[in-house]
Every structure is written in structure tokens, then in C-alpha cells.
Amino acid sequence: MTILDTGTTARASWMVCPGCEAMIYLKRYDRSDRVCPECDDHGMLTARQRIDLLIDAGSAVDIEYAETVPDPLAFTDSRPYPDRLAGARRKTGMADAIDCVRGTLGGTPVVLAAMDFRFLGGSLGSALGEAVTAAAEVALAERRPLIIVTASGGARMQEGIVALMQMAKTSRALRRLDDAGVLTVSVITDPTYGGVAASFATSTDVIVAEPGARLGFAGPRVIAQTIGQTLPPGFQTAEFLLEHGIVDLICHRSALRDRLIRLVGMTVRSARPYSDDTEAVITDPSVLSAGDPWERVRAARRLGRPTTLDHLAGAFEDFIELHGDRMSADCSAMVAGLARLDGVPVVVIGTQKGHTAAELAQRNYGMPTPSGYRKAARVLRLAAKLRLPVVTLVDTAGAYPGIEAEEQGQAVAIAENLKLLAGLPVPVVAVITGEGGSGGALALALADRVLMCENAVYSVISAEGCAAILWQDPAAAPQAARALRVDAASLLELGIADAVVPEPEGGSDRDPAAATALLRRALRQAVHELRAWPTSELLARRHNRFRGFGVARNDLQENR
């Protein structure tokens, strides 16, 4: 940032934007929380400005932390390290590169730790590591969500190996929050590198990034000097990282407080009582209207049927989508996030197709890749940590069968999801909303309660695939559909489905809003019922449910 000299002792009135080099009126820049009105470049904020921006007015109380060794190595480069510290303290008015407070955010008690790049580049030293750890300990003791706003160039070289140990120290502090079920959120600001990036900045439950914020272990200069690689455009920016599955979402500074209020609000349990005397689902197969299984297959594939995103918009009060597998990619065919159902915070995961050819192509025709299943697994673990019920919405022809998927371990990703769901200590309700195709569908449907929409289908293989293999004739698909018994009535008789969600006359595509309303009633009923079960009973019933498939009743009793 360049501030122009006005020739007076008063503060300069104009500045040059570091992003687009446009002339900006300084007061306007400050009023917009240091976001350029011309190019939207997000400028740096101080730690106190961050606290004022996020925490409810008048609620912030500083968190004290233990005194640390000021100069563990007696380090000197061009200046003694104590002199550098003294200079940074005079310049910033801070003890070190972070301020930590307890306060409220939209009325929810939280702990906020905000870093400040002005203090020795936000470098991670003993004092900063102790401050983050102390903040985490307050969050643990008071069961408050922990929010960390990061800005750092890496570990503090003047403290050497002692600075490196702060990565381990803070990681242990966050692990204790994981074990206790306390939500952690990091807000990545520009820049966040090195030891901070490789510890508490990226080990939180949810990673939010400001637009354009850079995050990485090795900085571009280090990469270029060490191995001489040419970096792609936008490398290590928030947008690059979202595409590669590292951050959950990008949030403009103007919307950040509201987004965080919604996130931490998901940790607040609703006391709203459930009351609905009417049965929301069908459990008697004879009540279902007769229909040819092949016609059900065709109905399940109609493009007008509500998708997962349609149901999320109509059946839930709120939804915050989380992105990425934290490894390499974000699968567009798998949608996952936090929501509220009748006031109850839940985790929702579902496959997403689309209504048009363009949407289908963009969503990979609803066929998840390994990164999609790994994203689902990550969010399932978050559900277990926060003790939130899980709702899965399944509409997929199956897992993506491409070469890349096999290279990335598609079978392993599905297997891991199945094992994770088998022991998940929270209620799981799965709904087959359209197609339930093979293991790709089952990877989301190992549940305590399996519901099927009236025109949905669920099978080990598509009718066409079965016909091609066993009949050697794809045209025999209608015959195969009948033989496989893929329809809801058959699956209810077989005990695969627990209940059927009725659809509007003519199918969900005839009245999508009504179909979503019917689904909402069924989900409310199932979730409220399952929440009342103790964890031990929940897991025992889930075990018995799947233990019994394919085994004669008498033999099953002997084998339990």
C-alpha cells in the first residue's frame, strides 16, 4: 500500500491500492474494512480490527497466556533478536503477533484468536504458540467454538527449533478440542505460510478463506529457488485451493461475520419440541400403487425430479456447504455440509445430478469420484465429533468408473465410507431419492433408517447392465428390472427399505415443491425418533440390521 503525502501533518487522504494501483480515498477504504472498491482486493487488517469486525460489540475479554522465554537461542543476525522484538512491540503496540479474546458472535459464546502480520510477519514463535494453546484451553474448558484468523510468513527463525515445536504444541491443543467435540474454524487471510499453514491453520474442522488469500507450506520464492518449478497462475490462492479441495469455502470480508455466526450456530441445540401425529411414510407394501419396475426406473431418471440441492433449499432451514477432501480435489457430484432440520443441527450429504445437460455434465452426471467419497467421510467425522445426526440423499447411477477414479482408489474410498458409517455414533437417515446405483449408493446408505421415495429404485447394477451381462441384450432391461426387484415396494418387502416416502400424483417431477415437503415430513419424523435412542442401542440396532441380510432367521439367531 502506498499512502500519498498531502503535504500536511494530517493523515494522508488518498492511497494506491496494492491490487489494482487505483487511487482510493482512505476513509472510504477504511469504511469498507480495507477492501478495495475498484478491484475487491482484501487488504490486511490488524488483530484488533479483526476482533472488532467479528465479535459482538462490548463482549470481547482478553485471554492471558503464560510468559515465554524471550530469546531461547540468544540469536543475533544483523540485529539481536530482543531488539527486533522491542521494535515490533513499539510499532504495533502488541506483545506478539496475536490477540486472543473470549466473547460472543451473534450471541453464541466463542473464543477468537486473531493474528497480525505487522508483528515480524506474523511469524510463529513461543509466545504465539502459547497464545493459541491458551485460547484452545479456554475453548475446551468453556466448550466454546474456537475461531483462528491466520496471517503468517511461517515459523520464527530467530527461535529456531523452539519455534518448530509450537506446531506440535498447538496441534495437540486442537486435537483435545476434537476429542471433546468442540468446533474449530480457521479464517485464512493473505498470506498464511509455513509452520502456521502446516499446523493450526489447516487442522480445523472448517477452513474459510478470504478471496485471493494465499496459503501454502512453501512460499512461491522457496519453490522457485529450491526446485525451479514454474508456478501456474493463481497458485496457492484461495480460489486455487478451493478447486483442489483444501479449503471449505471462500467468503468475502463483508459477509464473513454472518457466515461465522451461521457456522457456530450449528453447535447450539434447539429446544423446539417435535409434534406430528400423522404418519409421514408408508411401511406397508400393499398400500403402494402397483407399477412396473421398469417404469419406476424411467421415473427415477426424469430430469425434473428434485435434486439434492433442491431438497436442501426446500426441506431444511439453513445449509452451509463444505467443500473438498483436504487432499487434492472437490468432487462436484457430492454435496456436503451443515444444515438445520426443524431447528435441529444436522449434517447433510448427497449426490447431485442436475436438470439440464449442462448441469449434468458439470456435476459428472451425479457419479462421485474418490474425492467425493473422501469429502463425505470428512464431513461424517465432523458429524461424529459434534454429535449431529446425519441425513444422506442418494441419487446416483453409481460411483464414477473412469481411469482416474481407479488410480485414486475408488474402491478404497467406498470401503472406508462403509466402515465409517457402520460405527458412526450418531443417527443416520438415508433416502434414495432417485437412482440408488450399486456400491456408489450404498457408500451413503449404510444407515439406521433407509427410506425410499415412491418412484426411486435401488439395485446392485443398472437394469441395462444386468441385461447386457446376463441376457446378452441391453433391450432386455425391462425384464432385468423386474427380475432384480428394484422398485420401492419390492425393497420394502425385502426389508432393504424401512419405509417409503410418498410422492405427488404422477411423480416428484410433476410437483417438486410438494415432493420436497413430503420428504421434509419423513426426515423430521425419522431424525426426531432416532435422536432419542442411546448410542449403544443405535449401534446395536444398526449392527443387527445389516447382520441379518441374506441369513435365514433361525441361523441368524445362532450366529449373533
Side-chain angles (χ1 to χ4, degrees):
M1 181 201 320
T2 300
I3 298 178
L4 302 185
D5 186 358
T6 61
T8 69
T9 57
R11 187 182 180 193
S13 299
W14 294 86
M15 60 166 284
V16 176
C17 170
C20 65
E21 299 186 350
M23 294 286 293
I24 311 170
Y25 186 50
L26 194 56
K27 287 185 178 179
R28 182 185 179 189
Y29 186 60
D30 287 339
R31 281 196 303 269
S32 64
D33 296 316
R34 306 187 73 78
V35 176
C36 175
E38 302 297 328
C39 71
D40 211 39
D41 179 79
H42 282 48
M44 288 185 182
L45 293 177
T46 68
R48 281 293 149 180
Q49 286 172 329
R50 290 283 178 189
I51 292 168
D52 292 342
L53 177 67
L54 298 176
I55 296 296
D56 296 343
S59 72
V61 177
D62 288 341
I63 294 173
E64 302 297 329
Y65 56 92
E67 185 178 350
T68 56
V69 178
D71 186 13
L73 306 183
F75 190 95
T76 299
D77 46 30
S78 59
R79 293 170 58 194
Y81 177 44
D83 289 353
R84 290 192 182 276
L85 280 177
R89 286 168 181 158
R90 284 193 302 271
K91 177 182 176 182
T92 64
M94 300 175 66
D96 210 274
I98 193 166
D99 278 339
C100 303
V101 299
R102 53 160 65 83
T104 59
L105 178 58
T108 301
V110 299
V111 170
L112 174 66
M115 297 182 66
D116 196 319
F117 195 80
R118 297 174 306 155
F119 196 107
L120 298 182
S123 51
L124 174 59
S126 299
L128 196 150
E130 179 61 27
V132 170
T133 301
E137 289 171 347
V138 171
L140 177 64
E142 301 177 9
R143 299 199 65 82
R144 296 173 178 238
L146 173 66
I147 302 169
I148 307 174
V149 183
T150 65
S152 177
R156 192 168 297 175
M157 290 178 287
Q158 294 90 338
E159 294 190 21
I161 195 69
V162 178
L164 188 70
M165 291 303 106
Q166 304 308 308
M167 295 172 62
K169 177 177 179 175
T170 55
S171 295
R172 174 58 187 160
L174 263 67
R175 172 57 193 265
R176 294 180 72 199
L177 293 177
D178 287 342
D179 294 341
V182 176
L183 177 70
T184 55
V185 181
S186 57
V187 178
I188 307 300
T189 75
D190 188 58
T192 298
Y193 279 109
V196 170
S199 56
F200 56 85
T202 55
S203 62
T204 54
D205 299 316
V206 180
I207 302 176
V208 182
E210 288 192 330
R214 292 166 295 168
L215 168 72
F217 182 58
R221 194 186 322 173
V222 173
I223 295 172
Q225 291 176 350
T226 304
I227 57 178
Q229 282 189 333
T230 301
L231 305 179
F235 181 68
Q236 292 182 326
T237 62
E239 294 73 16
F240 177 92
L241 296 168
L242 182 68
E243 180 183 348
H244 288 81
I246 306 303
V247 303
D248 284 290
L249 54 103
I250 297 172
C251 188
H252 194 278
R253 190 172 291 167
S254 62
L256 181 60
R257 174 176 152 85
D258 178 66
R259 185 64 59 91
L260 291 175
I261 288 172
R262 291 168 60 200
L263 264 174
V264 300
M266 293 297 178
T267 65
V268 179
R269 303 299 192 269
S270 170
R272 185 188 308 175
Y274 172 73
S275 60
D276 191 346
D277 296 331
T278 58
E279 187 62 40
V281 293
I282 299 168
T283 56
D284 182 355
S286 66
V287 175
L288 295 169
S289 59
D292 180 70
W294 176 244
E295 292 305 315
R296 301 291 190 188
V297 171
R298 295 178 65 190
R301 293 173 177 172
R302 291 177 191 157
L303 292 182
R305 290 180 68 84
T307 65
T308 288
L309 288 175
D310 294 331
H311 288 313
L312 281 165
F316 299 84
E317 292 93 71
D318 194 8
F319 177 63
I320 301 173
E321 186 172 359
L322 304 179
H323 291 272
D325 62 358
R326 296 274 176 97
M327 292 175 63
S328 62
D330 180 47
C331 174
S332 60
M334 188 76 78
V335 174
L338 301 168
R340 282 189 181 273
L341 175 66
D342 198 32
V344 177
V346 297
V347 158
V348 184
I349 302 170
T351 53
Q352 175 68 16
K353 287 184 178 178
H355 296 298
T356 66
E359 288 176 354
L360 286 166
Q362 192 270 327
R363 295 286 180 174
N364 203 34
Y365 299 89
M367 295 185 292
T369 61
S371 67
Y373 291 109
R374 291 180 178 125
K375 172 168 64 174
R378 182 172 73 83
V379 180
L380 287 171
R381 292 187 183 97
L382 178 58
K385 171 181 171 175
L386 300 179
R387 310 298 292 182
L388 301 181
V390 173
V391 174
T392 65
L393 304 175
V394 181
D395 183 14
T396 180
Y400 181 62
I403 294 172
E404 321 90 88
E406 294 302 318
E407 290 174 341
Q408 295 162 16
Q410 184 71 285
V412 175
I414 292 171
E416 288 178 346
N417 266 33
L418 291 171
K419 190 161 65 172
L420 178 60
L421 281 167
L424 206 68
V426 294
V428 183
V429 180
V431 187
I432 313 299
T433 61
E435 288 186 281
S438 193
L442 180 62
L444 295 182
L446 199 163
D448 303 297
R449 191 67 50 82
V450 177
L451 310 180
M452 287 190 67
C453 290
E454 192 172 358
N455 284 310
V457 293
Y458 193 11
S459 177
V460 68
I461 190 172
S462 70
E464 294 90 339
C466 179
I469 294 170
L470 298 182
W471 276 264
Q472 281 92 51
D473 182 6
Q479 186 177 354
R482 289 188 287 272
L484 287 167
R485 302 186 67 188
V486 300
D487 59 296
S490 296
L491 291 160
L492 195 55
E493 289 177 356
L494 291 167
I496 304 299
D498 294 294
V500 173
V501 182
E503 296 188 18
E505 187 174 353
S508 293
D509 53 307
R510 299 292 178 86
D511 192 345
T516 294
L518 289 166
L519 177 65
R520 173 180 165 80
R521 286 188 60 219
L523 288 173
R524 288 176 67 232
Q525 191 173 84
V527 168
H528 279 283
E529 180 183 336
L530 292 171
R531 286 176 72 213
W533 293 1
T535 301
S536 57
E537 181 180 353
L538 194 75
L539 293 174
R541 289 196 185 196
R542 193 183 304 161
H543 168 80
N544 291 337
R545 171 192 177 84
F546 290 94
R547 179 68 177 83
F549 288 133
V551 179
R553 288 179 181 270
N554 292 338
D555 291 340
L556 179 60
Q557 294 298 326
E558 294 174 4
N559 290 332
R560 281 183 179 172

